[in-house]
Amino acid sequence: MEDRERVVARMQEAVGPTAVITDREELRTYECDGLTGYRAVPSLAVLPETAEEVQAVVRICRDEGIPFVARGSGTGLSGGALPVEEGVLVVLARMRRILEVDIPNQRVVVEPGVVNAWVTEAVAPHGYYYAPDPSSQIVCSIGGNVAENSGGAHCLKYGFTTNHVTGLEVVFADGEMVQLGGKTAETPGYDLVGVLVGSEGTLGIVTKITLRIIRRPETVRTLLAAFPSTDEAGGAVSGIIAAGILPAAVEMMDALSRQAAEAAVHPGYPDAGGLLIVELDGPAVEVEHQFQSVQEICRENGAGEIRIAENDDERALIWRGRKAAFAAMGRISPDYFVQDGVIPRTALPQVLHKISAMGSERNLRVANVFHAGDGNLHPLVLYDGTVSGEAERAEELAGDILLVCLEHGGSITGEHGVGFDKKKYMPAMFTADDLDTMQLLRCAFDPRHLCNPGKVFPTPRLCGERPGPYREHPLQQAGIAEIF
Amino acid sequence: MTVLGDIVGTPHVRDGGSGDAVDGITPRWVAMPASNEECAELLRLADRDGLAVVPRGGGTKLGWGNRPRQVDVIVDTSRLNRVLAHEAGDLVVIAQAGTPLATVQDTVAGAGQMLGIDSLWSGATLGGIIAANASGPRRVRFGTMKDLLIGITVVLPGGTIAHSGGKVVKNVAGYDLGKLFTGSLGTLGLITETIFRLHARPPTRRAVQAHLASPSALGLALQDVLRSHLTPTALEVRWDRSSGRLICLFESIEPSVAAQSDRAASILSRFGPVDVVDDISDLERPPWARGQTGLKIMTVPARLPDVIETVLGAAGEHGIDCRIGGHAGVAVLLVALDGGPEAVASTITTLRSRLEQEFVVVLEAPAPVKERVDVWGNAPGGALMRRIKEQFDPGGIMSPGRFVGGI
Ligand SMILES: Cc1cc2nc3c(=O)[nH]c(=O)nc-3n(C[C@H](O)[C@H](O)[C@H](O)COP(=O)(O)OP(=O)(O)OC[C@H]3O[C@@H](n4cnc5c(N)ncnc54)[C@H](O)[C@@H]3O)c2cc1C
């Protein structure tokens, strides 16, 4: 940064001296997000407490031509909040107020630093909850959820963050603060809220969010079914969907992840090649009927033991192993990569076999624990970083798994985002024209690429270029028709 | 015309006639492309020569939006009418944008599935419903187009063909162009292919309704239903002058439908007489007739009684008839106004001044009404919308003038 002193002074004036961090050691706190493989120390970090302070900070960045990156709780798993070395990190952790709880209209208005789980805590006494439930929900921020369009185990039935945000206040790179949407279910004009959610912090800094909350269901029923292998478990998932049942959650674990979870948190899961957790919620009568059907379908597909949670404690026990599964990998492997890819649900058995074969070829183990209902895989590639070359092989395998997802018509990310980590895979999923067209949006919001630059897109195009080389119509090529 | 014929084939281009007029403006030509490439070629040509393009699906909502500044070519999507794939096991359907919604519903019904959007306008196509962001009663449960659309292909002026999303429901790779194009009313580009998530078609249904004597009773009844454990697929209101109805539709397996409609009846009976609705076809039509003015008012549930009172009051003051319908569960009202253009326009202006927290949009109106009011009213984020328009359609050829703020 050219004139760092001047910038620091201006920032201090804007947000107060204690809210500007300039010390390199202190700045190291922010050098990475949840994906610790990528690190960069920002030139400075600021911790605004109000939307107006965010605006003042962004205006300084605009005037000085300095890139800035928003950071929520730093739990992101794609390097989305990775700082820019010559830039400013805008940490939203001090903007933690729940501004309004509006039960009659089923809305809650929050600042971006509010932790996901706090929203449900605030509305639980009224019998409501906030549906998107990423596993990181006791730490991650709503601002980060909005940026990543985060999901959770229960998004199969209730949708992702995007389905639960009706309004945003955003500070754009030109320093303007704009209210988009509101408490109403929709507003006229382009769906800018829909565009902002999931844009990974590249279009602006969100300073206020209006969330939709929903009524707690009357009944919740949860079961754990043990299958000989993930094939049979996958068959049961297909059977449940084919029966017209939309569970609140369907989670699967393979033998390896079961073993790790068992070692870490002792949920007492039955020994099995494939474990399925199925949760139904809704009106009591409906849930009871469908719960019977789910049990039958599991049995028809070869389930041995089926455990049914008879109360909340037993339900918590069933979920405990699943929720701890990622962290539990430490029990069976010194290091691991968490991958996030999506496939059409019906391709599950094929893709799991393929992944296992690819692991064997490279002499690496892959544990699978995932959201089976919507085909969102989380293969955990296990390796030992002290063995030379193993980390590289593991990383390569994790990448190849994504390509397998794409071969089956899937996606390179279902919830962790592209961020810094996966931008190199974007051309495998999208054409150059697709990416250029997406970047038109970027150009509309931030033509100077100051807002979280270097994320999502492999090669940012200059604003003002038209996307896509024109391709001649076959008739023209053949000399049959001329465009006048 | 020959050039258009070279692109789409001579039989698929014709001169525009009065039946093709958009808000009274007759296009010079109507072209019917049959592929993404033909669409790209058409838009490239139009962009180069500054021809104004209005896309047309079923033509059911061509009157929505402001009167366009210019219409040279109607790009009619009726030949882009194929369901490309129905992946029943994955609850996904892929279809060209000109496919009528009814065709898609028929195709997927065989597997006991449905696309969770209902059209109040028969003949509507997927692309048209997306572009107009039209929705129906079941949005209370299934959401609107933006919640169901998981992948899209669009063609931009200049001829770029672009995709976003894909055929998996859970997917956060890249910006979501589907959201951007939902409700864009043909002002950014042409929607050519769509991918949707599907839902299981519920085996049975039952609807119960309460007859209510005042908007405040409606408000209380609605709050009690919202706070109950009921999971209706629709929660509709109908209101004429002094009385109205709140209708709860349950669609699920029989035991659930039976239990929930009983429960709903007991909740609703505290507010007025309750009966079972045998014929729900009335829920699937807009409250206005041809030639009347149709408004969409977006509010929040707690303000519904006030908004209804305000609408009734304003219509009364200006001496016109009104009928109110809409989706009470999400507080989106559809209002029919019937009267002379002067009085209808004044009613709209009065409504906008009194309903400051609401959005009052004119969906359909006779030309003399449209000449007197802006159909969109206030819309947040106008300057940004203009910048987006400039990026996607720098030549301003796509449905010029129809959108918010004259975009
Ligand atoms: C153990 C663990 C489990 C996880 N489980 C899940 C899961 O189940 N589902 C899931 O979807 N994700 C999961 N994640 C990933 C992560 O928690 C989510 O992506 C989360 O939304 C990130 O929130 P954050 O506050 O930590 O954001 P950060 O990591 O701080 O930032 C994430 C992105 O958001 C941007 N951003 C942050 N705040 C704002 C703002 N106010 N305005 C604009 N942009 C902003 C940043 O620039 C960055 O690009 C998990 C992570 C961990 C570590």
Side-chain angles (χ1 to χ4, degrees), chain A residues 70 72-76 80 112 134-136 141 144-145 147-148 150-151 200-201 204 206 415:
Chain A
S73 302
T75 67
S135 314
S136 50
S141 72
N145 293 174
E148 301 290 355
S150 298
E200 304 198 24
V206 173
E415 54 183 21

Side-chain angles (χ1 to χ4, degrees), chain B residues 183-402:
Chain B
S184 64
L185 208 67
T187 57
L188 295 175
L190 189 65
I191 302 166
T192 60
E193 273 173 36
T194 59
I195 311 179
F196 290 97
R197 70 175 296 187
L198 299 170
H199 285 89
R201 183 174 287 274
T204 52
R205 74 157 72 115
R206 195 161 313 157
V208 292
Q209 64 184 359
H211 297 266
L212 302 161
S214 68
S216 62
L218 169 76
L220 295 172
L222 175 62
Q223 283 300 325
D224 276 13
V225 173
L226 290 177
R227 285 183 201 211
S228 72
H229 287 295
L230 297 171
T231 55
T233 48
L235 201 44
E236 291 280 294
V237 59
R238 293 292 179 275
W239 208 271
D240 296 302
R241 290 175 189 279
S242 57
S243 68
R245 295 172 290 143
L246 178 64
I247 305 137
C248 303
L249 175 66
F250 298 98
E251 294 175 296
S252 181
I253 51 175
E254 170 58 29
S256 172
V257 163
Q260 292 204 68
S261 43
D262 284 353
R263 178 86 194 102
S266 98
I267 293 174
L268 293 174
S269 63
R270 297 204 292 273
F271 304 95
V274 172
D275 53 23
V276 171
V277 189
D278 292 321
D279 179 9
I280 63 158
S281 59
D282 155 58
L283 301 187
E284 289 163 344
R285 279 193 296 267
W288 52 86
R290 260 195 117 68
Q292 296 181 345
T293 294
L295 309 182
K296 183 175 184 178
I297 303 181
M298 297 152 236
T299 182
V300 290
R303 286 205 22 91
L304 270 185
D306 274 4
V307 173
I308 290 175
E309 297 277 17
T310 307
V311 172
L312 295 171
E317 283 165 36
H318 295 281
I320 63 168
D321 277 337
C322 82
R323 280 179 55 193
I324 299 173
H327 323 307
V330 291
V332 173
L333 292 180
L334 299 175
V335 176
L337 300 178
D338 191 15
E342 198 71 57
V344 168
S346 313
T347 306
I348 295 166
T349 308
T350 305
L351 283 178
R352 286 192 176 141
S353 68
R354 290 186 194 160
L355 298 175
E356 284 181 355
Q357 304 168 46
E358 279 58 47
F359 300 97
V360 179
V361 172
V362 179
L363 290 188
E364 284 178 35
V369 172
K370 280 195 174 184
E371 280 160 21
R372 290 173 166 82
V373 288
D374 172 44
V375 306
W376 295 103
N378 108 55
L384 268 170
M385 291 183 203
R386 193 167 298 282
R387 268 149 53 189
I388 291 173
K389 169 76 172 180
E390 280 161 11
Q391 288 292 330
F392 279 77
D393 178 20
I397 61 155
M398 295 303 302
S399 306
R402 270 181 100 189

Side-chain angles (χ1 to χ4, degrees), chain A residues 71-93:
Chain A
R71 180 186 171 101
S73 302
T75 67
L77 291 174
S78 54
L82 181 73
V84 173
E85 271 174 8
E86 288 293 295
V88 173
L89 191 71
V90 185
V91 183
L92 284 316

Side-chain angles (χ1 to χ4, degrees), chain A residues 103-106 128 148-149 151-152 155-157 159-160 162-163 165 172 174 178-181 183-192 194-195 197-200 202-203 215-218 241 244-246 282-283 285-286 289-290 340 342-347 371 374 376 408-418 426 429-431 433-434 437-447 456-457 461 463-464 466-468 470-476 480-484, chain B residues 1 3 5-7 37-38 40-41 44-45 47-49 87-91 111 113 133 135 139-141 144 146-147 154 156-177 179-180 182-185 187-188 197 199-200 223 226-231 251-253 255-257 259-260 296 298-303 329-330 332 357-361 376 378-382 384-394 403-404 407:
Chain A
I103 298 297
N105 295 319
Q106 305 172 320
Y128 283 79
E148 301 290 355
N149 187 17
C155 59
L156 174 61
K157 180 168 179 181
F160 319 98
T162 185
N163 308 106
V165 175
F172 290 104
D174 61 1
V178 182
Q179 314 289 330
L180 305 172
K183 280 190 186 173
T184 55
E186 58 183 277
T187 50
Y190 299 136
D191 180 12
L192 299 179
V195 167
V197 178
S199 62
E200 304 198 24
T202 59
L203 299 179
R215 188 75 175 89
R216 275 239 174 264
E218 186 175 18
I241 300 294
I245 298 170
L246 182 57
V285 180
E286 187 172 300
H289 267 81
Q290 296 188 333
D340 166 43
V342 193
I343 51 167
R345 183 175 38 234
T346 48
H371 311 299
D374 41 30
N376 185 191
H408 286 84
S411 169
I412 58 171
T413 169
E415 54 183 21
H416 295 166
V418 177
M426 287 290 273
M429 181 160 171
F430 296 108
T431 67
D433 283 356
D434 299 345
T437 302
M438 291 178 191
Q439 288 219 47
L440 291 174
L441 269 174
R442 181 69 185 267
C443 293
F445 287 90
D446 175 23
V456 184
F457 297 101
R461 58 191 274 282
C463 294
R466 298 292 298 147
Y470 166 64
R471 288 181 195 85
E472 275 189 329
H473 188 268
L475 286 174
Q476 263 182 294
I480 298 169
E482 234 348 272
I483 303 237
F484 50 79
Chain B
M1 176 122 159
V3 186
D6 288 343
I7 296 171
E37 290 68 28
E38 288 181 9
E41 208 59 32
R44 192 190 96 77
L45 173 77
D47 194 40
R48 198 197 59 185
D49 294 350
E87 283 156 18
D90 294 313
L91 284 163
Q113 298 178 356
N133 191 21
S135 57
R139 61 179 289 170
V140 168
R141 168 69 69 81
T144 56
K146 73 184 169 80
D147 301 299
V154 296
L156 304 189
T160 303
I161 300 170
H163 318 79
S164 92
K167 56 176 195 167
V168 285
V169 171
K170 199 168 181 186
N171 181 2
V172 295
Y175 295 156
D176 191 342
L177 298 178
K179 297 269 188 316
L180 179 67
T182 300
S184 64
L185 208 67
T187 57
L188 295 175
R197 70 175 296 187
H199 285 89
Q223 283 300 325
L226 290 177
R227 285 183 201 211
S228 72
H229 287 295
L230 297 171
T231 55
E251 294 175 296
S252 181
I253 51 175
S256 172
V257 163
Q260 292 204 68
K296 183 175 184 178
M298 297 152 236
T299 182
V300 290
R303 286 205 22 91
V330 291
V332 173
Q357 304 168 46
E358 279 58 47
F359 300 97
V360 179
V361 172
W376 295 103
N378 108 55
L384 268 170
M385 291 183 203
R386 193 167 298 282
R387 268 149 53 189
I388 291 173
K389 169 76 172 180
E390 280 161 11
Q391 288 292 330
F392 279 77
D393 178 20
F403 208 50
V404 171
I407 285 175

